[in-house]
Amino acid sequence: MDFPAPTAQIETLPNGLTLILDPSPAAPVVSAQVWVETGSIHEDQLLGTGLSHFLEHMVFKGGGNFGPAELAGTVQGAGGHWNAYTTFERTVYYIDGPASGLDAFLEVLAAMVFHPHLPESEFEKEKDVIRREIDMGLDDPDDRGHRLLFETAYSHDARRQPVIGHRELFDRIQYDDLRRYHATRYTPNRCCLCLAGDFDPALVREKIDTLFGSLPRGMACEPSPPAEPDQLSPRVGRDTFAIPATRLTLAWKTPPAGHPDQPALDLAAAVLGKGRSARLYRALREDRPLALEISAWSWSPASGDGLFAVSAEVLPEKRDELLAGIRRLLADFPDTKLRKDLDKARRQIASAQFKTLATVSGRATDLASNWHQARDLDFTRHYLQELDRVTPDDVRRAIRHLLETPEILVFLDPEDAPAPAAVRTATPAVHEVETFTLPNGATLSLLPDPRVPLISLQAAIRCGAPAETPATAGINRLFAASLPHGTQRHSGAELAGLLESLGASFGASAGNNSVIAQLSGLSGDLATLVPLFGEILGSPALPADAIERERASQLASLREMLEDPLSLAFRELRPLVFGGSGYGLHSLGSEESLAGLDRLTLAAHHSLHVRGPNLALALAGDFDPAEARALLTAAFETLPGGEAWLPAASEIPDPAERVHRLDKKQAVLALGFRGCAALDDDRHALRFLQEWCSDMAGPLFTRIREDLGLAYRVGATQFHGFDTGLFAFYLATDPSQLDLARRELLGEIEKLAHHGIPAEAFERVRATVLSATALDQQSPGSIARHAAVDTLFGLPATHHRELTALYQSITAEQVREVAARLLAPPPCTSLILPE
């Protein structure tokens, strides 16, 4: 049976108003509707406030020559029934009633929609009404479930915001926002006036010209709602509510209306979930009593992604089983016979559409909806014809493609229900850490963590600045840079290609106390990566040409550093604090020392330091401990043993000051104090002091930079060494302000020495330290690095896990005592001044 073609007339008035007239004398009734093409997605900068819905309420407060009581009285006196509603993309006002009242209905619609009074005296009153409506919605499980679905399904699309708005955003709406939104959006070129029923088109046309013809056309500019990016992975949302059963929706994104798959998906939704004979209902409610209620639906908006969904109510204890049943039925759906079910679904959809033609209100809604959706009054008939052309293969293909896309899953659970398996978070296990020592003295630590299929190998080699002399300064940096350039078995190119083919990476760096080498990759490549790591560390090629290239790069970095005032200040500070060797040397070396470093020097350095007693290795990530233990043992047991290299005691020169001139416009001051050794108990208190002195809320920044404007850079830094360390303050300032800035910095240091961290700030500092500690212990790489360095110094491989408790136990008095000892001696001073 064919859906009848429309006989309505459509035209566009000069001001852009679309007019649809559908006269029919079948019954003495009419429906007058104004469709405004604006809804919650068009609120632009006020998106999420519910402004469109609020305006819908306010237009009923009078318009044109009608006060609010007169509007209602006129409609009621003419026998009309009126209402309005707002959706994502439209606001609709309609009056149904006897044909004799049409003139009055048109006058009321013209007045309220296009000439509303919007009385300011009613603004706050109506806001209170909508606040109660918002609260009622939050108390309604259907509304909460709808919100949860759209918030989960859409990450950027404006439809993730509720039409009624968020309470906290709704409260921000100002009266001028309301008037401005009406003036901008309620324009004739964005509206359709649709009339259906018993009327004379010629007479009505004159009335329409009088009431609507002089309305000014609005600007054509439209807001640009946020575009929804492609969904790349499944999404799950959950909330709880005072309901006896779970409300579950499993959904997928679909194309907008007009896409070739839309009719097939609509039919599939009907076959699966429309009525008591639908497949989901029969299989999962009747045959297996899992669902209390279950249905399927498909929604295709005019633009943007739509949804294909299965919705159900289920007792929490059957929730996971029902979800598995839905997925199984959908997976099997394309392989089943469909022809009879599709015929039934077509008749169901056609029947629902035919029913809209039984009333004038339904006919007007169908016509206006067709205009709004497709600018085609015959869209419904064309759509039903498309349904008739859909084959079982079309449906199978559409569902297969749908199931290949990421799903959306939401649960609205009873308040006391346990979380479903899909959102249940397992308590992360703290896996057993194992540390063992090879016969050659190398210490190996295993830190399993199966959360992510990654592994990180870290090796800490005891050397660092104390292993350098003025003649070899920079050797650790050059040695670390040369390690990736091949082994005795693999050239540098072969090594790089092998690592990159595995998605792995190798790197090495030189620090104050060690050279750190790391190799990271996928856990499935453990058996390849561990031997390769042993090969890189145990038999590096150290090719002369690569060393020459790395020397040139290091020399460039050195020259650049010598032109940077702050870096130069610290380079000059080191020998003042530590003398002319060890920590007094800079890791980049000097032009003279770099010129003397060659392959033989680096090979000797490797031979001295890369041996068992100087090596601490750690493996963190997803691996089998037994396999890892065997692989690491085989890879590193052949390294030479012998005696551990131990650094000489650091020098302790008297405090001194050094001035260096540089052709720059700024002045830099660095003040150095002896800090802690790596194992000193005071190091934990010093962590607090450094944080306080480096923080933007700390005394240096607030006093010297913000209050006085004396420095554009100010802070503190530190490192811990084998037997001593450095705690330094620095600032960069205008040379004309250096003396004052220096006095202020020394004054703040004196306050720290006497008072430590103020009581009112101490807990804030603790929170920052704890946060930084937690952030630094997330990845396998950082965990392995902590374990390698700690075991190199004789600490447990799990020492990093103890830091939180240690920091939580530190008191303000401990920090004050450490600050008093540390800052009591006069500092060493490095000054960089303009030439």
Side-chain angles (χ1 to χ4, degrees):
M1 185 178 296
D2 290 334
F3 194 83
T7 58
Q9 306 166 17
I10 183 170
E11 66 172 303
T12 302
L13 301 188
N15 58 8
L17 177 70
T18 298
L19 180 62
I20 301 172
L21 301 179
D22 184 30
S24 172
V29 290
V30 291
S31 179
Q33 302 185 6
V34 174
W35 286 50
V36 187
E37 281 195 315
T38 195
S40 61
I41 67 171
H42 301 106
E43 292 168 0
D44 205 21
Q45 299 300 316
L46 295 172
L47 184 65
T49 63
L51 180 59
S52 303
H53 173 259
F54 185 24
L55 178 58
E56 175 216 314
H57 277 236
M58 286 294 290
V59 302
F60 284 87
K61 303 296 182 180
N65 296 323
F66 299 95
E70 293 171 315
L71 275 179
T74 300
V75 174
Q76 186 178 26
H81 302 270
W82 65 340
N83 213 330
Y85 64 89
T86 304
T87 71
F88 291 131
E89 71 287 329
R90 66 179 182 270
T91 306
V92 178
Y93 301 88
Y94 61 91
I95 307 176
D96 298 333
S100 59
L102 181 56
D103 283 356
F105 301 157
L106 290 172
E107 290 172 5
V108 166
L109 286 172
M112 67 187 291
V113 174
F114 295 105
H115 306 287
H117 293 165
L118 304 179
E120 193 167 4
S121 60
E122 294 292 324
F123 183 77
E124 288 299 333
K125 294 179 185 177
E126 198 60 32
K127 259 194 163 184
D128 284 338
V129 171
I130 294 178
R131 288 186 183 106
R132 290 194 294 273
E133 190 176 346
I134 292 173
D135 290 341
M136 289 171 60
L138 295 176
D139 288 339
D140 184 309
D142 289 333
D143 188 272
R144 285 281 287 274
H146 181 273
R147 285 195 184 204
L148 180 62
L149 173 60
F150 278 78
E151 288 171 358
T152 305
Y154 300 105
S155 62
H156 291 69
D157 193 297
R159 288 168 296 182
R160 76 185 311 272
Q161 313 296 339
V163 171
I164 200 171
H166 299 284
R167 171 64 183 272
E168 64 273 21
L169 297 181
F170 173 76
D171 286 341
R172 298 182 197 172
I173 297 175
Q174 302 297 312
Y175 179 69
D176 286 344
D177 296 330
L178 192 74
R179 298 201 69 89
R180 188 163 43 246
Y181 186 71
H182 178 271
T184 304
R185 302 299 304 167
Y186 276 52
T187 60
N189 50 302
R190 292 181 174 85
C191 295
C192 165
L193 172 63
C194 185
L195 306 181
D198 186 12
F199 61 86
D200 184 324
L203 296 176
V204 166
R205 187 66 179 73
E206 293 179 10
K207 185 73 172 180
I208 289 171
D209 277 339
T210 301
L211 294 173
F212 299 93
S214 62
L215 294 170
R217 179 189 292 270
M219 298 293 288
C221 181
E222 291 290 321
S224 299
E228 178 72 12
D230 290 341
Q231 182 180 334
L232 303 179
S233 60
R235 295 177 183 169
V236 181
R238 181 179 184 254
D239 200 355
T240 59
F241 203 80
I243 47 177
T246 292
R247 299 185 178 206
L248 173 158
T249 298
L250 178 61
W252 292 264
K253 297 278 185 63
T254 63
H259 190 277
D261 282 353
Q262 181 201 352
L265 291 172
D266 288 346
L267 286 171
V271 169
L272 286 165
K274 189 175 181 63
R276 292 176 173 271
S277 63
R279 294 190 178 188
L280 287 167
Y281 192 93
R282 297 301 310 173
L284 301 176
R285 187 184 188 278
E286 300 297 295
D287 297 344
R288 293 175 63 201
L290 295 176
L292 301 174
E293 297 295 337
I294 190 166
S295 62
W297 49 274
S298 179
W299 171 65
S300 301
S303 62
D305 294 332
L307 293 172
F308 182 98
V310 175
S311 296
E313 290 186 37
V314 58
L315 295 175
E317 59 268 25
K318 296 183 178 181
R319 178 185 48 204
D320 293 341
E321 188 180 358
L322 174 64
L323 184 58
I326 294 171
R327 288 187 172 126
R328 193 159 44 246
L329 192 147
L330 287 169
D332 294 341
F333 179 74
D335 297 326
T336 60
K337 294 181 179 180
L338 286 171
R339 191 164 301 281
K340 287 185 178 179
D341 281 347
L342 290 181
D343 289 341
K344 179 186 70 174
R346 289 189 186 93
R347 295 184 70 85
Q348 287 175 315
I349 295 172
S351 175
Q353 294 293 343
F354 276 117
K355 289 177 182 177
T356 63
L357 304 183
T359 65
V360 291
S361 179
R363 288 212 316 274
T365 298
D366 178 68
L367 291 167
S369 177
N370 287 345
W371 168 81
H372 175 75
Q373 187 89 345
R375 293 301 195 264
D376 174 16
L377 297 188
D378 207 11
F379 178 71
T380 301
R381 187 167 66 93
H382 294 156
Y383 167 70
L384 292 175
Q385 289 171 346
E386 288 183 23
L387 289 183
D388 287 340
R389 290 192 287 268
V390 172
T391 68
D393 286 342
D394 293 332
V395 175
R396 293 186 180 102
R397 176 187 48 76
I399 289 295
R400 283 197 184 98
H401 180 265
L402 186 78
L403 297 180
E404 291 171 355
T405 62
E407 67 181 28
I408 300 144
L409 179 59
V410 296
F411 302 91
L412 188 64
D413 278 326
E415 291 175 337
D416 57 350
V423 297
R424 197 172 297 142
T425 54
T427 302
V430 179
H431 297 274
E432 197 68 31
V433 173
E434 178 185 356
T435 298
F436 58 99
T437 303
L438 297 180
N440 60 9
T443 302
L444 287 81
S445 299
L446 304 179
L447 299 95
D449 182 356
R451 292 175 302 167
V452 182
L454 297 173
I455 54 168
S456 180
L457 284 152
Q458 300 268 347
I461 305 165
R462 186 184 289 108
C463 50
E468 299 183 356
T469 66
T472 62
I475 191 171
N476 286 300
R477 186 88 163 249
L478 186 58
F479 171 67
S482 301
L483 279 177
H485 289 285
T487 70
Q488 300 299 327
R489 292 182 55 203
H490 296 91
S491 69
E494 290 170 342
L495 182 62
L498 177 57
L499 290 172
E500 290 171 9
S501 69
L502 297 174
S505 64
F506 172 83
S509 60
N512 287 299
N513 305 303
S514 62
V515 166
I516 302 291
Q518 68 84 26
L519 179 60
S520 299
L522 298 172
S523 56
D525 297 322
L526 180 72
T528 300
L529 295 178
V530 170
L532 198 58
F533 195 48
E535 184 182 327
I536 294 171
L537 293 182
S539 57
L542 302 176
D545 59 339
I547 292 173
E548 192 57 40
R549 291 193 299 273
E550 294 299 340
R551 186 205 325 273
S553 178
Q554 188 165 328
L555 187 59
S557 297
L558 170 63
R559 290 168 178 166
E560 183 177 339
M561 182 272 290
L562 292 174
E563 292 296 321
D564 177 65
L566 185 60
S567 298
L568 182 59
F570 277 100
R571 181 185 179 90
E572 297 293 315
L573 182 66
R574 278 178 172 262
L576 298 178
V577 180
F578 302 110
S581 61
Y583 297 121
L585 301 172
H586 194 276
S587 65
L588 284 171
S590 65
E591 295 209 21
E592 295 75 19
S593 66
L594 288 177
L597 299 178
D598 56 17
R599 186 184 184 282
L600 289 177
T601 313
L602 264 62
H605 191 72
H606 172 267
S607 178
L608 176 63
H609 293 283
V610 184
R611 52 181 56 237
N614 300 326
L615 191 64
L617 293 119
L619 171 63
D622 183 19
F623 57 84
D624 174 70
E627 179 190 12
R629 190 185 313 110
L631 288 169
L632 286 165
T633 299
F636 291 96
E637 65 181 354
T638 57
L639 286 178
E643 295 296 321
W645 172 85
L646 295 176
S650 298
E651 295 183 37
I652 308 178
D654 293 331
E657 179 172 315
R658 179 177 294 180
V659 177
H660 189 94
R661 299 283 176 173
L662 200 62
D663 185 17
K664 303 291 180 181
K665 295 182 179 181
Q666 61 179 301
V668 172
L669 167 68
L671 302 175
F673 296 84
R674 279 298 180 106
C676 285
L679 299 181
D680 284 352
D681 290 338
D682 288 347
R683 70 188 187 277
H684 303 305
L686 271 192
R687 177 72 179 84
F688 280 61
L689 196 64
Q690 180 196 355
E691 183 60 45
W692 175 233
C693 294
S694 304
D695 193 87
M696 292 176 65
L700 306 188
F701 190 90
T702 55
R703 172 65 179 169
I704 298 173
R705 187 182 189 280
E706 294 297 287
D707 295 347
L708 300 177
L710 292 176
Y712 46 87
R713 202 169 181 181
V714 62
T717 185
Q718 68 168 331
F719 75 80
H720 308 314
F722 287 110
D723 60 351
T724 185
L726 172 70
F727 197 99
F729 299 89
Y730 61 89
L731 63 79
T733 185
D734 186 280
S736 64
Q737 295 181 310
L738 176 61
D739 290 341
L740 177 56
R742 182 175 185 171
R743 287 197 300 274
E744 287 293 334
L745 179 57
L746 289 169
E748 292 300 322
I749 294 172
E750 186 177 0
K751 291 177 187 176
L752 290 167
H754 285 90
H755 306 294
I757 300 173
E760 67 274 11
F762 191 77
E763 290 306 320
R764 294 203 309 271
V765 175
R766 190 198 306 278
T768 305
V769 170
L770 291 172
S771 172
T773 302
L775 291 171
D776 191 41
Q777 296 182 16
Q778 299 179 89
S779 68
S782 62
I783 291 169
R785 185 184 70 252
H786 280 296
V789 172
D790 286 339
T791 54
L792 186 71
F793 279 94
L795 294 167
T798 55
H799 177 67
H800 63 281
R801 294 180 180 175
E802 302 166 8
L803 290 177
T804 296
L806 287 168
Y807 291 144
Q808 287 174 333
S809 69
I810 294 291
T811 66
E813 181 59 24
Q814 285 176 281
V815 175
R816 191 198 65 77
E817 291 175 359
V818 171
R821 290 198 304 274
L822 172 78
L823 304 176
C828 295
T829 305
S830 171
L831 279 167
I832 308 298
L833 300 177
E835 290 183 340

